[in-house]
Amino acid sequence: MSLRGRQAGARLRVSMERYLVVTIGGMQVALSADAVEGLLTIAESGSDGNLAVQGHVYVPVDLASRLGLERDRDSPDTRVVLLAQGPVRASVRVAAVHGLVECERRQILPLPHQFRGAEREWYVGLLPLSVGMSVVLQTMWLLSGIKTAVSPGAVSYGNWQALMSQPVSPSMGGGPSC
Amino acid sequence: MLRGAVGRQQKSVSRSCYLLIFTVGGRRLAVKTDEVGGISSWGGSFPVPSRTPFVTAVVRQDRGVFPVFDLAQLLHVAVQGEQRLCLLAKQPGGAMAICIDEEMPSLHTLDAGSVHPYLKSDVPAAESFTVGFEEVPILSLARLGQA
């Protein structure tokens, strides 16, 4: 096999992953973009209860409480992130959405071994950004314990599709640093 | 003859204890210098919510990302000063950062005979020494976060 052939093969094996970086409880959290189905403003989402969007019910998850963080006060930047994995759907209220970050899997650093508690199930790892650091949440953990439900309600999808086509917010400094 | 000389030399070396003395919240503590990875300015930490006692953040430095051991919380004190320092503790499998007071740490060489067992359990220390009336525990950095 030629060298050129080997390089091409190696390049193909690099898998990129995308994360939606949000702020919750004062910390930056990265959610797998594969699980994100939509973004809503507070006005679009309505009350804190179950959310019906295009026939699907999204069960609210108090992520701040699950992480032991203080719950954010609602502001004009507050968004509701719609998440789904298989038939399980959940909505998470976040203080702000920063944008999408694309990175290679190897750029996510493993949680240091000194973290020995239940948190090892919460995080995929740590993602260094040009400015700051984000913890990458385990979608499985985030959606664990949620029962599936179906509703015929119809609400618009919000601006998620528009966000997907936008570059990463300048405040993120252009994505991961390494 | 040679064997005897080497033996005496090793014995004299082992009689000295090299320590770094620093403060957290004004409390004086010591660590063995061979357990210290470095001292640098404290650049702030990033919270990582966890259930591990005293380990709820990480710091980012040139050489990588390190977990933070909140020694001040363990001691029920607040780190003092505006220009705080970061003590990097060597641990098996990776270093751990500790935020310490801005007071510059100092190096000390003690005679091994001045070191006594530390009987209290407030900090992970097996030994201590006395300065005036103050007992200064010698922290076992490798044991931080293990209890």
Side-chain angles (χ1 to χ4, degrees), chain A residues 113-114 116-117 119 123 129 132 177, chain B residues 49 51-52 60 67 91-92 94 145:
Chain A
H113 73 91
Q114 287 92 344
R116 295 176 292 106
E119 66 274 9
Y123 310 125
L129 303 168
S177 62
Chain B
R51 294 276 189 269
T52 305
R60 209 172 152 182
Q91 289 204 319

Side-chain angles (χ1 to χ4, degrees), chain A residues 73-96:
Chain A
R73 289 183 179 179
D74 286 348
S75 79
D77 292 330
T78 302
R79 294 290 181 273
V80 175
V81 184
L82 304 178
L83 298 162
Q85 193 167 63
V88 183
R89 288 180 164 79
S91 66
V92 177
R93 195 170 280 235
V94 301

Side-chain angles (χ1 to χ4, degrees), chain A residues 38 40 45 47-53 57-63 79-84 88-94 142-143 146:
Chain A
L40 299 176
S45 64
S47 68
D48 281 351
N50 283 4
L51 197 57
V53 180
V57 173
Y58 294 83
V59 180
V61 172
D62 189 349
L63 182 56
R79 294 290 181 273
V80 175
V81 184
L82 304 178
L83 298 162
V88 183
R89 288 180 164 79
S91 66
V92 177
R93 195 170 280 235
V94 301
L142 181 58
L143 299 178
I146 296 174

